[in-house]
Amino acid sequence: QVQVVESGGGLVQAGGSLKLSCAASGNIGRIYTMGWHRQAPGKQRELVASITRGGTTNYADSVKDRCAISRDDSKNSTYLQMNRLKLEDTAVYYCKVAIQAPGTVWSYDYWGQGTQVNVSS
């Protein structure tokens, strides 16, 4: 069993900052790519940022200059620092983690339940 839990969402004024955290626990052998996705009301879920095991990062164009993703493999965790937040950043933010179970060769994607981010004017 693997659990992925996000935290750090909340209400923030436009122009403010938030840091989201995501921690994986359970039957974990190795963690590969970790990422943050978001889904706004009436819209499809979209990638915000991802980071590979080797540290290569990828960002959506809409957040590229305002967000920073990081990871701490000793804690099975990833973080998303969001700055200069905009109204359009309002969404549920989901963490996705690719995890390989001990003694296996396959990795599977696990999703958290999401954390709500609301940006107000």
Side-chain angles (χ1 to χ4, degrees):
Q1 286 278 11
V2 171
Q3 284 191 320
V4 176
V5 179
E6 304 97 335
S7 62
L11 176 64
V12 62
Q13 283 193 322
S17 298
L18 273 180
K19 185 174 184 178
L20 305 183
S21 301
C22 168
S25 61
N27 193 32
I28 297 172
R30 181 172 290 187
I31 294 179
Y32 292 99
T33 298
M34 308 179 86
W36 290 92
H37 298 246
R38 69 185 180 187
Q39 188 165 19
K43 295 188 176 182
Q44 288 190 330
R45 192 173 297 189
E46 62 175 359
L47 173 70
V48 178
S50 64
I51 183 167
T52 68
R53 184 172 175 82
T56 299
T57 57
N58 180 45
Y59 295 93
D61 288 342
S62 59
V63 305
K64 190 170 293 185
D65 298 325
R66 302 185 292 116
C67 292
I69 188 171
S70 59
R71 63 189 286 165
D72 183 344
D73 289 332
S74 69
K75 297 180 180 179
N76 294 335
S77 295
T78 182
Y79 310 94
L80 184 68
Q81 176 68 48
M82 302 189 294
N83 302 316
R84 303 193 303 280
L85 282 160
K86 302 177 180 181
L87 295 178
E88 52 263 42
D89 293 319
T90 293
V92 178
Y93 284 70
Y94 297 92
C95 178
K96 186 176 81 169
V97 183
I99 296 174
Q100 181 184 53
T104 69
V105 297
W106 304 107
S107 66
Y108 295 93
D109 290 337
Y110 294 88
W111 290 86
Q113 292 299 306
T115 185
Q116 178 72 48
V117 172
N118 289 313
V119 183
S120 65
S121 58

XYZ file of all heavy atoms in Angstrom, residues 45-116:
570
model
N -7.566 18.553 -15.919
C -6.380 18.542 -15.079
C -5.156 18.798 -15.957
O -5.048 18.244 -17.050
C -6.250 17.206 -14.355
C -5.222 17.191 -13.248
C -5.264 15.887 -12.459
N -6.532 15.700 -11.776
C -6.750 14.725 -10.888
N -5.767 13.891 -10.570
N -7.934 14.593 -10.314
N -4.247 19.621 -15.458
C -3.066 19.961 -16.229
C -1.813 19.860 -15.383
O -1.850 20.042 -14.163
C -3.177 21.398 -16.781
C -3.257 22.471 -15.714
C -3.252 23.876 -16.281
O -3.175 24.043 -17.510
O -3.320 24.823 -15.472
N -0.703 19.589 -16.054
C 0.581 19.537 -15.375
C 1.026 20.942 -14.995
O 0.970 21.857 -15.808
C 1.633 18.895 -16.274
C 3.065 18.917 -15.747
C 3.215 17.979 -14.558
C 4.047 18.542 -16.850
N 1.478 21.087 -13.762
C 2.060 22.350 -13.309
C 3.584 22.267 -13.340
O 4.253 23.115 -13.915
C 1.589 22.695 -11.885
C 2.244 24.000 -11.417
C 0.069 22.810 -11.832
N 4.095 21.217 -12.723
C 5.545 21.057 -12.665
C 5.885 19.616 -12.320
O 5.092 18.933 -11.678
C 6.158 21.991 -11.617
N 7.062 19.185 -12.771
C 7.517 17.850 -12.425
C 9.022 17.865 -12.224
O 9.724 18.769 -12.705
C 7.137 16.835 -13.506
O 7.807 17.136 -14.723
N 9.511 16.846 -11.506
C 10.938 16.737 -11.252
C 11.323 15.264 -11.287
O 10.670 14.429 -10.648
C 11.322 17.405 -9.910
C 12.838 17.347 -9.689
C 10.553 16.812 -8.736
C 13.312 18.250 -8.553
N 12.344 14.951 -12.051
C 12.773 13.563 -12.166
C 13.667 13.186 -10.990
O 14.086 14.035 -10.198
C 13.561 13.353 -13.467
O 14.807 14.076 -13.375
C 12.776 13.827 -14.678
N 13.987 11.918 -10.931
C 14.868 11.436 -9.872
C 16.240 12.112 -9.966
O 16.892 12.352 -8.946
C 15.015 9.919 -9.980
C 15.821 9.283 -8.875
C 15.746 7.762 -8.958
N 16.615 7.153 -7.984
C 16.282 6.987 -6.712
N 15.097 7.371 -6.271
N 17.134 6.420 -5.878
N 16.632 12.444 -11.171
C 17.913 13.101 -11.357
C 17.871 14.604 -11.173
O 18.909 15.271 -11.277
N 16.675 15.140 -10.921
C 16.569 16.571 -10.642
C 16.169 17.435 -11.825
O 16.116 18.659 -11.697
N 15.883 16.824 -12.955
C 15.443 17.607 -14.108
C 14.010 18.071 -13.888
O 13.144 17.278 -13.543
C 15.513 16.769 -15.390
O 16.867 16.365 -15.603
C 15.031 17.576 -16.591
N 13.794 19.358 -14.085
C 12.477 19.924 -13.844
C 11.797 20.327 -15.145
O 12.447 20.584 -16.158
C 12.577 21.159 -12.937
O 13.447 22.121 -13.539
C 13.112 20.781 -11.566
N 10.476 20.366 -15.061
C 9.651 20.767 -16.203
C 8.490 21.576 -15.652
O 7.898 21.196 -14.628
C 9.138 19.532 -16.949
C 8.282 19.899 -18.131
O 8.632 20.780 -18.908
N 7.152 19.236 -18.289
N 8.185 22.707 -16.311
C 7.124 23.578 -15.837
C 6.157 23.921 -16.953
O 6.543 24.038 -18.117
C 7.707 24.895 -15.306
C 8.582 24.751 -14.088
C 9.953 24.616 -14.205
C 8.024 24.747 -12.815
C 10.758 24.475 -13.095
C 8.818 24.613 -11.689
C 10.185 24.476 -11.836
O 10.984 24.339 -10.725
N 4.902 24.114 -16.569
C 3.942 24.680 -17.510
C 4.351 26.118 -17.791
O 4.871 26.819 -16.913
C 2.540 24.634 -16.913
N 4.091 26.563 -19.011
C 4.461 27.934 -19.378
C 3.804 28.960 -18.460
O 4.389 30.006 -18.167
C 4.066 28.206 -20.831
C 4.964 27.476 -21.816
O 6.074 27.051 -21.422
O 4.546 27.328 -22.986
N 2.612 28.646 -17.981
C 1.857 29.608 -17.182
C 2.468 29.845 -15.798
O 2.143 30.839 -15.144
C 0.409 29.133 -17.027
O 0.374 27.855 -16.412
N 3.340 28.954 -15.360
C 3.921 29.101 -14.014
C 5.434 29.156 -14.024
O 6.064 29.296 -12.974
C 3.469 27.948 -13.079
C 1.953 27.848 -13.041
C 4.097 26.626 -13.487
N 6.028 29.075 -15.194
C 7.471 28.869 -15.316
C 8.292 29.862 -14.512
O 9.304 29.497 -13.905
C 7.854 28.932 -16.793
C 9.262 28.497 -17.101
C 9.482 28.364 -18.587
C 8.683 27.243 -19.179
N 8.969 27.006 -20.611
N 7.916 31.123 -14.500
C 8.723 32.143 -13.821
C 8.272 32.396 -12.393
O 8.820 33.271 -11.717
C 8.659 33.451 -14.609
C 9.238 33.303 -16.008
O 10.215 32.533 -16.157
O 8.716 33.936 -16.926
N 7.277 31.641 -11.946
C 6.698 31.929 -10.637
C 6.750 30.757 -9.666
O 6.469 30.940 -8.477
C 5.236 32.358 -10.810
C 5.061 33.576 -11.706
C 3.605 34.016 -11.747
N 2.743 33.063 -12.433
C 1.755 32.399 -11.843
N 1.495 32.596 -10.564
N 1.004 31.570 -12.537
N 7.078 29.584 -10.150
C 7.034 28.397 -9.299
C 8.369 27.658 -9.312
O 9.126 27.750 -10.293
C 5.939 27.436 -9.768
S 4.273 28.050 -9.519
N 8.610 26.937 -8.245
C 9.804 26.109 -8.168
C 9.446 24.794 -7.507
O 8.889 24.776 -6.411
C 10.899 26.812 -7.384
N 9.763 23.696 -8.194
C 9.525 22.374 -7.635
C 10.836 21.818 -7.098
O 11.913 22.063 -7.667
C 8.916 21.427 -8.692
C 8.483 20.101 -8.055
C 9.868 21.204 -9.867
C 7.675 19.211 -8.986
N 10.742 21.091 -6.010
C 11.922 20.463 -5.424
C 11.515 19.126 -4.825
O 10.325 18.822 -4.728
C 12.543 21.363 -4.353
O 11.614 21.631 -3.315
N 12.495 18.344 -4.426
C 12.206 17.047 -3.812
C 13.254 16.743 -2.758
O 14.396 17.210 -2.833
C 12.142 15.949 -4.860
C 13.422 15.698 -5.610
C 13.191 14.727 -6.775
N 13.019 13.352 -6.332
C 12.521 12.383 -7.103
N 12.112 12.666 -8.327
N 12.427 11.149 -6.643
N 12.830 15.928 -1.801
C 13.724 15.452 -0.759
C 13.503 13.945 -0.674
O 12.534 13.484 -0.065
C 13.403 16.134 0.574
C 14.349 15.724 1.681
O 15.064 14.710 1.532
O 14.372 16.411 2.724
N 14.386 13.195 -1.297
C 14.202 11.750 -1.360
C 14.345 11.082 0.003
O 13.839 9.976 0.204
C 15.172 11.144 -2.367
C 14.791 11.487 -3.806
O 13.582 11.689 -4.055
O 15.691 11.565 -4.667
N 15.020 11.729 0.921
C 15.140 11.153 2.270
C 13.802 11.176 2.997
O 13.597 10.429 3.957
C 16.187 11.913 3.080
O 15.735 13.216 3.392
N 12.902 12.030 2.504
C 11.576 12.144 3.114
C 10.477 11.699 2.164
O 9.297 11.886 2.456
C 11.323 13.588 3.550
C 12.283 14.081 4.626
C 11.983 15.524 5.012
C 12.944 15.996 6.095
N 12.686 17.409 6.478
N 10.867 11.157 1.017
C 9.874 10.755 0.001
C 8.912 11.890 -0.299
O 7.699 11.679 -0.416
C 9.098 9.511 0.465
C 9.973 8.291 0.573
O 11.012 8.190 -0.088
N 9.590 7.360 1.424
N 9.449 13.076 -0.431
C 8.603 14.270 -0.525
C 8.980 15.158 -1.701
O 10.126 15.158 -2.170
C 8.709 15.090 0.756
O 8.184 14.385 1.857
N 7.982 15.905 -2.145
C 8.196 16.931 -3.149
C 7.468 18.191 -2.700
O 6.495 18.125 -1.939
C 7.697 16.497 -4.539
O 7.977 17.538 -5.488
C 6.209 16.211 -4.549
N 7.966 19.328 -3.160
C 7.436 20.609 -2.738
C 7.223 21.500 -3.971
O 7.971 21.408 -4.939
C 8.395 21.303 -1.776
C 8.835 20.411 -0.643
C 10.016 19.677 -0.726
C 8.053 20.273 0.501
C 10.412 18.835 0.291
C 8.442 19.431 1.535
C 9.621 18.708 1.419
O 10.004 17.867 2.423
N 6.216 22.374 -3.865
C 5.983 23.340 -4.926
C 5.871 24.720 -4.297
O 4.896 24.996 -3.591
C 4.710 23.008 -5.710
C 4.424 23.918 -6.900
C 5.463 23.701 -7.997
C 3.019 23.672 -7.452
N 6.861 25.538 -4.530
C 6.838 26.920 -4.067
C 6.199 27.768 -5.156
O 6.686 27.789 -6.290
C 8.258 27.419 -3.786
C 8.343 28.871 -3.382
C 7.726 29.139 -2.026
O 7.992 28.442 -1.067
N 6.890 30.166 -1.938
N 5.108 28.419 -4.814
C 4.389 29.243 -5.785
C 4.435 30.700 -5.340
O 4.040 31.020 -4.212
C 2.942 28.780 -5.906
C 2.812 27.322 -6.325
S 1.114 26.873 -6.713
C 0.362 27.031 -5.098
N 4.911 31.561 -6.205
C 5.037 32.978 -5.908
C 4.208 33.805 -6.882
O 3.808 33.320 -7.949
C 6.500 33.402 -6.006
C 7.396 32.609 -5.082
O 7.060 32.381 -3.916
N 8.558 32.200 -5.582
N 3.956 35.047 -6.505
C 3.203 35.978 -7.366
C 1.946 35.298 -7.892
O 1.675 35.293 -9.098
C 4.080 36.497 -8.496
C 5.339 37.178 -8.004
C 6.056 37.957 -9.092
N 6.413 37.147 -10.251
C 7.455 36.344 -10.313
N 8.248 36.211 -9.266
N 7.731 35.659 -11.417
N 1.193 34.742 -6.971
C 0.005 33.979 -7.360
C -1.016 34.868 -8.054
O -1.183 36.055 -7.721
C -0.606 33.303 -6.146
C 0.148 32.039 -5.704
C -0.172 31.687 -4.261
C -0.181 30.881 -6.624
N -1.725 34.256 -9.008
C -2.742 34.955 -9.789
C -4.103 34.303 -9.551
O -4.179 33.150 -9.112
C -2.398 34.875 -11.280
C -1.047 35.436 -11.642
C -0.776 35.246 -13.130
C 0.582 35.816 -13.520
N 0.852 35.649 -14.975
N -5.145 35.039 -9.873
C -6.490 34.490 -9.713
C -6.632 33.169 -10.462
O -7.289 32.234 -9.972
C -7.520 35.494 -10.210
C -7.627 36.810 -9.450
C -8.670 37.715 -10.103
C -7.966 36.578 -7.993
N -6.020 33.094 -11.619
C -6.150 31.881 -12.443
C -5.371 30.684 -11.903
O -5.442 29.597 -12.466
C -5.741 32.169 -13.887
C -4.388 32.820 -14.036
C -4.484 34.345 -14.174
O -5.289 34.954 -13.441
O -3.731 34.907 -14.991
N -4.639 30.875 -10.820
C -3.977 29.752 -10.172
C -4.919 28.996 -9.239
O -4.552 27.942 -8.702
C -2.755 30.229 -9.372
C -1.652 30.765 -10.259
O -1.392 30.166 -11.319
O -1.039 31.786 -9.882
N -6.109 29.528 -9.033
C -7.089 28.857 -8.185
C -7.444 27.498 -8.777
O -7.849 27.408 -9.937
C -8.361 29.709 -8.053
O -8.036 30.907 -7.326
C -9.447 28.946 -7.318
N -7.273 26.461 -7.976
C -7.506 25.098 -8.451
C -7.263 24.130 -7.299
O -6.745 24.523 -6.243
C -6.566 24.759 -9.607
N -7.624 22.884 -7.541
C -7.187 21.806 -6.653
C -5.849 21.299 -7.202
O -5.751 20.989 -8.394
C -8.207 20.663 -6.597
C -7.682 19.545 -5.691
C -9.554 21.167 -6.093
N -4.873 21.235 -6.335
C -3.530 20.809 -6.729
C -3.302 19.370 -6.267
O -3.481 19.051 -5.089
C -2.483 21.737 -6.137
C -2.421 23.054 -6.871
C -3.451 23.980 -6.767
C -1.342 23.369 -7.697
C -3.410 25.180 -7.464
C -1.293 24.567 -8.388
C -2.332 25.471 -8.270
O -2.299 26.659 -8.966
N -2.912 18.548 -7.235
C -2.694 17.136 -6.977
C -1.230 16.779 -7.145
O -0.561 17.251 -8.070
C -3.504 16.289 -7.954
C -4.990 16.458 -7.848
C -5.658 17.391 -8.633
C -5.739 15.660 -6.981
C -7.027 17.544 -8.550
C -7.110 15.809 -6.888
C -7.749 16.754 -7.679
O -9.109 16.897 -7.593
N -0.774 15.900 -6.292
C 0.582 15.389 -6.384
C 0.540 14.012 -7.045
O -0.328 13.187 -6.710
C 1.177 15.286 -4.980
S 2.852 14.621 -4.909
N 1.438 13.770 -7.960
C 1.553 12.462 -8.597
C 2.980 11.956 -8.437
O 3.941 12.691 -8.698
C 1.206 12.535 -10.077
C 1.176 11.166 -10.754
C 0.741 11.250 -12.210
C 1.851 11.667 -13.131
N 1.485 11.497 -14.554
N 3.092 10.718 -8.013
C 4.413 10.155 -7.724
C 4.543 8.791 -8.403
O 3.653 7.944 -8.249
C 4.616 9.999 -6.202
C 6.015 9.489 -5.913
C 4.376 11.312 -5.485
N 5.618 8.604 -9.130
C 5.896 7.310 -9.758
C 6.742 6.485 -8.787
O 7.869 6.874 -8.462
C 6.622 7.503 -11.075
N 6.191 5.356 -8.352
C 6.825 4.569 -7.290
C 7.037 3.127 -7.744
O 6.130 2.500 -8.298
C 5.967 4.602 -6.010
C 5.907 6.030 -5.470
C 6.520 3.639 -4.965
C 4.974 6.209 -4.295
N 8.212 2.651 -7.470
C 8.555 1.255 -7.722
C 8.561 0.535 -6.376
O 9.248 0.956 -5.439
C 9.932 1.159 -8.365
C 10.402 -0.236 -8.695
C 11.824 -0.222 -9.236
O 12.738 0.337 -8.624
N 12.017 -0.813 -10.405
N 7.806 -0.532 -6.302
C 7.754 -1.302 -5.054
C 9.059 -2.069 -4.877
O 9.722 -2.420 -5.867
C 6.571 -2.254 -5.072
N 9.433 -2.386 -3.647
C 10.663 -3.149 -3.404
C 10.622 -4.501 -4.106
O 9.605 -5.191 -4.101
C 10.663 -3.321 -1.882
C 9.802 -2.239 -1.366
C 8.762 -2.001 -2.407
N 11.729 -4.870 -4.748
C 11.820 -6.177 -5.380
C 11.107 -6.309 -6.705
O 10.974 -7.419 -7.233
N 10.622 -5.198 -7.238
C 9.939 -5.239 -8.529
C 10.685 -4.359 -9.530
O 11.580 -3.598 -9.166
C 8.490 -4.748 -8.416
O 8.493 -3.337 -8.142
C 7.740 -5.477 -7.308
N 10.292 -4.458 -10.785
C 10.930 -3.640 -11.815
C 9.980 -2.602 -12.388
O 10.379 -1.750 -13.163
C 11.494 -4.512 -12.957
C 12.578 -5.441 -12.426
C 10.379 -5.301 -13.638
N 8.717 -2.697 -11.998
C 7.724 -1.784 -12.558
C 7.456 -0.646 -11.593
O 7.464 -0.827 -10.386
C 6.416 -2.531 -12.833
C 6.587 -3.711 -13.724
C 6.548 -5.021 -13.375
C 6.849 -3.694 -15.131
N 6.767 -5.828 -14.471
C 6.954 -5.039 -15.555
C 7.007 -2.658 -16.064
C 7.206 -5.378 -16.892
C 7.254 -3.011 -17.388
C 7.355 -4.354 -17.782
N 7.168 0.523 -12.150
C 6.727 1.646 -11.332
C 5.296 2.007 -11.705
O 4.873 1.800 -12.848
C 7.650 2.855 -11.522
O 7.558 3.348 -12.850
N 4.587 2.509 -10.741
C 3.198 2.907 -10.939
C 3.003 4.334 -10.442
O 3.704 4.773 -9.528
C 2.265 1.961 -10.181
C 2.304 0.551 -10.699
C 3.177 -0.383 -10.130
C 1.496 0.148 -11.754
C 3.238 -1.686 -10.613
C 1.552 -1.155 -12.238
C 2.421 -2.063 -11.667
O 2.481 -3.335 -12.147
N 2.051 5.016 -11.042
C 1.728 6.378 -10.626
C 0.688 6.358 -9.516
O -0.341 5.691 -9.631
C 1.179 7.187 -11.807
C 2.243 7.501 -12.833
O 3.441 7.503 -12.472
O 1.884 7.755 -14.000
N 0.975 7.095 -8.488
C 0.045 7.245 -7.372
C -0.314 8.733 -7.227
O 0.571 9.604 -7.316
C 0.677 6.751 -6.065
C 0.928 5.273 -6.059
C 2.115 4.738 -6.545
C -0.030 4.382 -5.560
C 2.346 3.376 -6.550
C 0.203 3.015 -5.551
C 1.387 2.522 -6.058
O 1.606 1.169 -6.055
N -1.596 8.969 -6.988
C -2.096 10.336 -6.851
C -2.539 10.603 -5.414
O -3.077 9.723 -4.739
C -3.307 10.555 -7.756
C -3.017 10.579 -9.216
C -2.946 9.510 -10.058
C -2.779 11.744 -10.017
N -2.677 9.937 -11.332
C -2.577 11.294 -11.345
C -2.736 13.114 -9.759
C -2.318 12.184 -12.401
C -2.482 13.986 -10.808
C -2.278 13.515 -12.108
N -2.336 11.836 -5.007
C -2.908 12.257 -3.746
C -4.347 12.698 -3.931
O -4.875 12.714 -5.045
N -4.980 13.073 -2.820
C -6.387 13.489 -2.853
C -6.551 14.944 -3.265
O -7.662 15.378 -3.575
C -7.016 13.272 -1.473
C -7.165 11.801 -1.100
C -8.061 11.064 -2.078
O -9.185 11.453 -2.335
N -7.541 9.984 -2.657
N -5.473 15.690 -3.255
C -5.534 17.077 -3.684
C -5.619 18.053 -2.523
O -6.101 17.716 -1.441
N -5.132 19.254 -2.776
C -5.229 20.338 -1.803
C -5.709 21.589 -2.537
O -5.226 21.902 -3.623
C -3.881 20.573 -1.087
O -4.041 21.554 -0.065
C -2.788 21.019 -2.049
N -6.675 22.260 -1.937
C -7.304 23.400 -2.604
C -6.465 24.661 -2.428
O -6.038 24.988 -1.321
C -8.696 23.643 -2.025
C -9.437 24.831 -2.611
C -9.922 24.587 -4.030
O -10.517 23.541 -4.322
N -9.676 25.544 -4.922
